[in-house]
Amino acid sequence: MKKNLHKIFDLRKGEKTIVFLMFLYLFLIIASLLIIKPVRNSLFLSHYGVSQLPYAFLLVAVSAAGVVQFYTKISKKFRFNKLVYFTLAISIVSLILFRFILMSGFQAGWIYYVFYIWVALFGVIVTSQFWLLANYVFNAREAKRIFGLIGAGGISGGIFGGYLAKFLAPILGTANMLFICIFFLIACIFIVKKVWHKKGRENYDEKLNYEKKRFQKYHSEKTIQLLFRSKHIAYLAAITGISVIAANLVDYQYSAIATELIQDPDQLTAFFGFWLSNLSIASLVFQVFFTSKILKVSGVAISLFFLPVGILTGTICILLQPALWSAVLVKVSDGCFKQSINKSGLELLSLPIPSSMKNKTKAFIDVFIDSLATGLGGLILILATHYFNLSVQSISIILLVLVGIWLLFIYLIKNEYLNSFRIALEKRSIDLSDQTLNINDATLFNTLTKILKGKNEKQILYGLQLLENVKNDDFIPYFKDLLKHHSKSVRLETLKILDTYDAENFSSTAREMIHNHPFEIKIAAFTYMIHHWENGQEFTLESVKNEDYEIQSAAIIAIASFINESTDAGKTINFIELFDQFLMYCKEEEHTEQEIIFLKKTISRIIGLAQVAKLYPFLENLLHDKNINIVQQAIINAGNTKDERFIPFFIEHLGTSNFRRHARKALVQNGEIALPALDKVLSDQKYNRKVLLAIPRVLSQINLQESVDLLFKHIEQKDLLLRTNIIKALTRLRAHFESLIFRPEKVDNFIVQEIESYITLYTIKNIFDDSIKNDTKNKDKLTIAHSLLCKAIKEKLHQNLDRLFLLLSLKYPPGDIANAQKALQSPNTNVSANAIEFLDNLLDNKLKKLLFPIIDQESPKLLFEQTQKHFKINLKTEKEAIRYILLGDDRWLKVCILYVLAVRNSNEPEWMLKHFIADSDKSIQETARLALKQYKNQ
């Protein structure tokens, strides 16, 4: 039974519990919403009547803008799980307050407005938070399989909540229904806590913070320009906006007719609850039984006609007879088609939009256009009902006009969608991880089948990638043909995809493919047979004894993978014994050198896949093999185990050219496990310098807040190149992972330190510039030495400035800072002046006072001197400058200064020169000896 459920819902190992929890979470959220909505509607309409409903629509749109800004600010200050707990807790407290205010006989009418707006915002925020959590819990591939099942929790919750309101409202009373919602939300807190600790926290830092993007100001000029540049996007925005306005008008008509005919508030709550549940059922039935078939046969354009035509039919009925049945008909048409076929169609319309534009345009439409349309809907109703005194029937005329415009835009977008889609497939610009990918659309299906039947290997592989993790049995005949394709890559990808299908069994074909096919295809063939053939496991075990070493290796690799993915497999297969048998075969003397290398790589791969700790000593041996390729493979597979014992080896080989890339990848893969060891190495100044310099790049790829904190901890390195690498790593983390936090107060301190360092170095340069002008002895040699020193100082100043701007990019928008730095380097004075003006408006006053003397080429000398006084830099003589460098941390500047001393026959104390003869840096040693020799020859 358990196995059948996993097949039906396409669940994988370890997913059952987390999917159930997420299903229950959405069930309770939507059930709560479907209880609160009837309560809200009933209380508002019973108190104010339908005449005030347009104002409520308008206030919801206005309030949403304020809540968006507030939510954006607090979302930057809290981790996501704490934000969800906070939202649910505030919602519970709010519901308790509303319950007692409503039952206390409080007469102020504004409370009904507040409650109406609160419910609307509550619905948006809690559902958005749910789907954001789902994106943290599941990766894009898992989401395609699982989101449909989890989404059914929302539909089920809608049905349950609405019917609960229908039956309990007359018994408990409208206000008391809020207690049920409170109970549901308390349960949600415990569910979120469980989900977060089980999987959400692990993936939190691996996901882009979609919510932050969603609640940004999407009405920026660049985003709006997209609407004018692309007809496709403009039509999509228009269709969305019109549908929202129409929905508001439908809701008004439905509420007006229901309120007029049902006077009792409890009965009105029951009525709204009953029909909200019916809408959920209608939407579910249509989605399950009709949506995919319609999309498959007719395509996206036809699917978009259902909602406006349904509203058109209901509107005509209200126009002819404004009765309860006609109001219900128009509302059912709206609710049934909106959440099923229309939603699927709109998601498909956004599919061909390039991923670089999609997030911005989709969020702009979902947030800004939706809010704007809600407000416009309210204004239209206010004008129609309060200024023109139109009846409910007359509003149908406005709806008819809107539907006409709506249908026109659907007709216009059809050709734009087809053109955009063809271009997207040709350019391969469709995002493979897009969860909205729906291969049931007729346009997409037909185009993909043409690609699969074509001769372009790259396009076929791209098409297979689009179909990975998405099931449609109609593609099986095309997959069957591709198993015979001349390209091994195509055959391999096809076999992997077929492994997820059960409609037709290809075990006999897979059995044939273990012969005369590349090694990776052999592995995929054994894997397929284990999953789909009743004798597949037994056959694969027998194949480990095959005379062909590639077949043996492929079989045991498939079993190792099976052991890892299935807890039950470990009970039926004695893997240690199987591994020992294979190891004995590998030790046989008749193997060629090439076969030995292959078998050793196989051993490391087996251990990495199976992740059986008893086998790790074998992997440790392979890490010290003489063959470079074997060690590289062993590093990769040791990384797969995520076992702490391998971390020191990975770190050690960050400084080895042959293994650096593999060691870095393994450390990144180990993530949080590797951080303590990396921290320890960075704290050890005597460690191999090549390794130290490589660690920041590793940390820049580990998307954890702990990586940021660790880099900040070690940012004040004496080794300037290491410090630069650490700052670069921080900027990479900020550029690629938006959810990480970079504390401005920390960054400010380091920016000030870099400015002080720059001013000090510049002061030293001026001292030596003045000194060379006044020294006429040894002019030629001294000029060379001084030139070398000045060149080194200029390079150090340039590096210092780079670090400074990198630090600024941790506090301000990285793109703005990068563009400003580039403009400052321009020979065009107007361009550099504009950059300074831009920074003048961007930076805070404290930083401007310190930074501008450095970057402003026209800055007077007096201003620079004021900056020196701010940092209390008292270097005035050449001797003080020499001492400062010799006692500092910059190795190359020490070499340059010692060379100047050697040429100049300096009278520096002998003990100071002797000190540098024992330095660990050979260049410093040799130059110090030269200076000491000159000193003794004076």
Side-chain angles (χ1 to χ4, degrees), residues 844-871:
D844 58 57
N845 289 327
K846 180 184 176 183
L847 288 180
K848 281 191 289 188
K849 288 178 182 177
L850 299 176
L851 181 65
F852 274 31
I854 294 174
I855 63 173
D856 190 351
Q857 297 173 358
E858 298 180 3
S859 178
K861 191 174 182 181
L862 178 62
L863 190 58
F864 192 85
E865 290 172 356
Q866 288 175 347
T867 310
Q868 283 181 298
K869 290 177 183 178
H870 174 85
F871 291 111

Side-chain angles (χ1 to χ4, degrees), residues 13 537 559-560 562-576 610 612:
K13 177 192 173 185
Q537 185 175 316
I559 292 168
F562 183 55
I563 289 286
N564 182 269
E565 74 182 33
S566 172
T567 52
D568 295 333
K571 299 174 185 177
T572 58
I573 300 173
N574 188 335
F575 189 74
I576 301 293
V612 177

Side-chain angles (χ1 to χ4, degrees), residues 193-205:
K193 190 173 182 180
K194 182 75 173 176
V195 169
W196 185 258
H197 286 288
K198 191 171 180 67
K199 199 172 180 185
R201 181 172 55 185
E202 178 187 341
N203 296 335
Y204 175 65
D205 296 310

